[in-house]
């Protein structure tokens, strides 16, 4: 684990924005105007998906993927100017939030500035042409970190952006050498000592698959040596398998509990129900009560919470990365009151530093606990929205639900769940 990583990241909420599709206008300015609403949700960090120009060669869709970048040191003119971007960042800071940007350092577009000026910095296929190592990423070519000059350029670029923003979300970071990330972190700290480092760590099957092809791929345990926060992909497919009915809830609970002993004491996971690479939460969990329970559990889990723009209105449509495809905000739903209250609860000190455990109970109900030095925070989440009388190892008594403000009772070692999420202190 990065030695300077603070456990206080576990009390924070991140909000992900793809500028192109966030609004009909698709600009930095449109995001800036909406910042007060975002802040009221309960957000600490705004993550802007790639803000740089997209390449045109081998482009996917009509506008191209934001992850096929042509110039790391410029902003996409479709979003606005560099001054517009700086104005947005300043406004984010004025709202009491931080801003991180996407870093896509495994590859560039085939017609990128670096491909034209430094073709020697790129991976070559057997026929000598530049290419990529992951087959379906046809709109990019991979960088070759065997070139020391590439390290210097990339690190200098990070330092330039770190003078403006508060940190970086690093795309497929496991495909870039660990030694590079460690050196980059040290160098960036001279510009921004408290820089936030989030890794898009990858799925177990991705790691084993790429290694089988001779492509080095870093595990979460390796990534944590340079990064503060890792994705939850190590167990996300256990979660999806549970939703599909392929495994019992107890198996997913075991996967969550395993993280408590395989990672360092100050590990921080990015917890999410959806992101730009996966289906919307409302698609996965269409029942309103079930979705409320899953959302409450999301905030209760040990780690930083991620919201993807549109999640607060229960959006079901996942916007395309390659075309103009605006988030559909007019759903008629609004989770803002729930998210805001969960955000307030998220600031509880037991979320910062605790021993965390999840148990699967009958009726697909989760009993989760944060414990530290005799204090306990308990969450009960009915993932199918069902009621039930549950056995719990808690002292008999009455407790105040931090979510609703109502009183709940434990009697004779049993708790009556009414199908709604509850969180209380013991």
């Amino acid at each position: 684990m990065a030695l300077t990583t603070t456990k206080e990241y576990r009390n924070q909420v991140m909000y992900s924005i793809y500028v192109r599709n966030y609004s009909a206008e698709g600009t930095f300015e449109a995001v800036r105007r909406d910042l007060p609403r975002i802040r009221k949700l309960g957000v600490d960090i705004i993550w802007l998906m790639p803000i740089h120009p997209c390449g045109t060669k081998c482009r996917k869709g009509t506008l191209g993927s934001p992850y096929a970048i042509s110039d790391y040191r410029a902003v996409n003119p479709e979003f606005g100017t560099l001054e517009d971007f700086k104005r947005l960042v300043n406004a984010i800071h004025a709202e009491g939030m931080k801003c991180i940007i996407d870093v896509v350092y495994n590859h560039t577009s085939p017609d990128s500035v670096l491909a034209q000026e430094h073709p020697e910095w790129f991976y070559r296929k057997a026929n000598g042409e530049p290419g990529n190592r992951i087959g379906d990423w046809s709109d990019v070519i991979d960088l070759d970190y065997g070139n020391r000059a590439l390290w210097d350029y990339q690190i200098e670029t990070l330092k330039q952006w770190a003078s403006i923003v508060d940190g970086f979300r690093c795309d497929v970071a496991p495909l870039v050498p660990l030694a590079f990330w460690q050196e980059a972190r040290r160098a960036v700290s001279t510009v921004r000592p408290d820089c936030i480092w989030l890794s898009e760590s990858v799925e177990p099957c991705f790691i084993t698959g790429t290694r089988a092809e001779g492509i080095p791929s870093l595990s979460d345990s390796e990534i944590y040596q340079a990064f503060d926060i890792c994705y939850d992909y190590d167990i996300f497919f256990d979660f999806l398998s549970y939703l599909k009915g392929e495994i019992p809830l107890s198996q997913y609970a075991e996967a969550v509990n395993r993280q408590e002993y395989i990672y360092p004491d100050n590990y921080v996971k990015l917890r999410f129900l959806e992101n730009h690479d996966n289906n919307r939460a409302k698609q996965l969990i269409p029942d309103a009560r079930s979705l409320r329970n899953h959302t409450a559990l999301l905030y209760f889990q040990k780690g930083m919470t991620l919201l993807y723009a549109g999640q607060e209105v229960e959006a079901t449509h996942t916007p395309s990365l390659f075309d103009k495809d605006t988030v559909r905000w007019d759903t008629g739903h609004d989770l803002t009151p729930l998210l805001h209250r969960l955000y307030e609860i998220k600031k509880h000190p037991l979320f910062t530093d605790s021993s965390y455990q999840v148990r699967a109970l009958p009726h697909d109900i989760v009993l989760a606990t944060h414990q530290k030095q005799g204090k306990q925070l308990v969450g009960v989440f009915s993932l199918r929205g069902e009621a039930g009388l549950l056995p719990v190892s808690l002292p008999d008594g009455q407790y105040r639900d931090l979510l609703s403000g109502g009183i709940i009772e434990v009697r004779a070692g049993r708790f009556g769940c009414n199908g709604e999420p509850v969180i209380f202190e013991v």
Side-chain angles (χ1 to χ4, degrees):
M1 192 75 191
L3 296 177
T4 57
T5 297
T6 173
K7 293 180 180 180
E8 291 178 358
Y9 286 139
R10 295 171 178 164
N11 296 95
Q12 298 187 3
V13 174
M14 181 178 292
Y15 188 84
S16 173
I17 292 175
Y18 182 21
V19 175
R20 175 193 291 166
N21 287 336
Y22 186 76
S23 65
E25 186 178 318
T27 62
F28 295 131
E29 175 60 19
V31 175
R32 188 192 67 80
R33 292 195 300 265
D34 202 33
L35 290 177
R37 183 196 67 83
I38 295 172
R39 180 57 178 156
K40 287 178 182 177
L41 288 174
V43 172
D44 300 287
I45 302 166
I46 288 181
W47 152 30
L48 298 174
M49 289 168 57
I51 61 167
H52 310 297
C54 303
T56 57
K57 188 176 181 180
C58 300
R59 173 176 280 184
K60 289 183 178 180
T62 57
L63 297 176
S65 168
Y67 292 94
I69 291 170
S70 63
D71 188 351
Y72 290 127
R73 296 185 176 182
V75 298
N76 191 333
E78 105 185 52
F79 301 163
T81 65
L82 179 59
E83 290 307 310
D84 293 330
F85 173 68
K86 290 179 178 178
R87 185 179 183 218
L88 170 58
V89 175
N90 289 338
I92 290 171
H93 291 161
E95 289 285 346
M97 298 180 288
K98 293 186 175 182
C99 177
I100 68 172
I101 59 172
D102 236 307
V103 169
V104 188
Y105 269 12
N106 176 67
H107 48 257
T108 74
S109 67
D111 54 351
S112 67
V113 169
L114 292 189
Q116 296 173 56
E117 297 182 357
H118 293 283
E120 72 279 10
W121 289 356
F122 285 81
Y123 162 79
R124 299 280 167 171
K125 297 185 291 187
N127 63 6
E129 295 179 356
N132 68 81
R133 297 166 293 172
I134 308 298
D136 62 344
W137 298 354
S138 59
D139 56 344
V140 297
I141 54 175
D142 288 359
L143 289 157
D144 179 0
Y145 280 83
N147 295 279
R148 179 65 214 193
L150 171 61
W151 289 41
D152 297 337
Y153 181 92
Q154 299 289 64
I155 290 172
E156 180 58 31
T157 302
L158 288 171
K159 290 169 68 176
Q160 290 177 20
W161 287 112
S163 67
I164 302 171
V165 300
D166 303 288
F168 305 105
R169 178 268 188 188
C170 300
D171 187 66
V172 285
L175 295 184
V176 176
L178 176 61
F180 169 81
W181 292 124
Q182 291 172 318
E183 183 168 328
R185 183 179 181 119
R186 288 191 295 268
V188 168
S189 69
T190 64
V191 177
R192 190 167 294 274
D194 58 349
C195 183
I196 301 165
W197 290 88
L198 164 63
S199 165
E200 185 203 18
S201 48
V202 294
E203 304 90 336
C205 61
F206 187 97
I207 295 173
T208 55
T210 51
R211 287 177 176 177
E213 295 296 322
I215 304 169
S217 185
L218 301 173
S219 67
D220 283 19
S221 296
E222 292 170 299
I223 280 290
Y224 269 134
Q225 296 174 53
F227 286 83
D228 301 306
I229 311 155
C230 278
Y231 267 45
D232 202 17
Y233 275 152
D234 56 322
I235 65 169
F236 187 64
F237 283 89
D238 294 282
F239 171 67
L240 294 180
S241 295
Y242 158 68
L243 288 183
K244 295 173 185 176
E246 297 170 352
I247 63 172
L249 178 60
S250 59
Q251 190 169 329
Y252 171 63
E254 288 170 6
V256 176
N257 292 335
R258 189 165 56 243
Q259 294 176 325
E260 279 288 277
Y261 58 81
I262 65 173
Y263 296 130
D265 177 63
N266 63 335
Y267 82 97
V268 183
K269 277 287 178 180
L270 187 69
R271 308 289 187 177
F272 50 85
L273 294 178
E274 63 179 62
N275 60 44
H276 68 268
D277 284 322
N278 288 280
N279 288 332
R280 290 287 196 176
K282 185 66 172 180
Q283 274 187 310
L284 297 171
I285 310 158
D287 178 73
R289 179 180 279 184
S290 294
L291 184 58
R292 287 195 297 274
N293 277 274
H294 277 279
T295 302
L297 175 59
L298 170 68
Y299 277 74
F300 196 86
Q301 297 262 46
K302 178 184 276 189
M304 182 181 289
T305 301
L306 174 68
L307 298 174
Y308 180 39
Q311 186 171 346
E312 65 268 43
V313 296
E314 302 182 36
T316 57
H317 174 70
T318 303
S320 167
L321 288 180
F322 315 119
D323 304 284
K324 181 62 179 174
D325 190 11
T326 306
V327 173
R328 296 168 190 175
W329 296 99
D330 56 346
T331 63
H333 301 286
D334 186 7
L335 290 175
T336 298
L338 174 63
L339 300 182
H340 183 77
R341 182 60 189 138
L342 287 168
Y343 176 76
E344 293 176 331
I345 297 171
K346 187 78 172 170
K347 299 304 180 182
H348 193 290
L350 275 179
F351 285 113
T352 315
D353 190 12
S354 68
S355 174
Y356 183 57
Q357 185 179 44
V358 173
R359 286 179 55 206
L361 299 179
H363 307 286
D364 278 19
I365 295 173
V366 166
L367 174 68
T369 57
H370 289 271
Q371 300 183 64
K372 185 78 171 185
Q373 297 176 338
K375 297 181 179 179
Q376 189 171 182
L377 199 60
V378 179
V380 181
F381 310 98
S382 180
L383 301 187
R384 288 189 299 184
E386 295 185 2
L389 187 62
L390 309 172
V392 292
S393 300
L394 298 170
D396 285 2
Q398 292 186 332
Y399 304 95
R400 183 168 297 279
D401 177 17
L402 300 180
L403 268 175
S404 69
I407 298 298
I408 58 177
E409 186 173 13
V410 176
R411 180 182 298 177
R414 292 184 176 276
F415 165 72
C417 171
N418 66 0
E420 292 291 340
V422 296
I423 299 172
F424 56 97
E425 294 182 80
V426 176

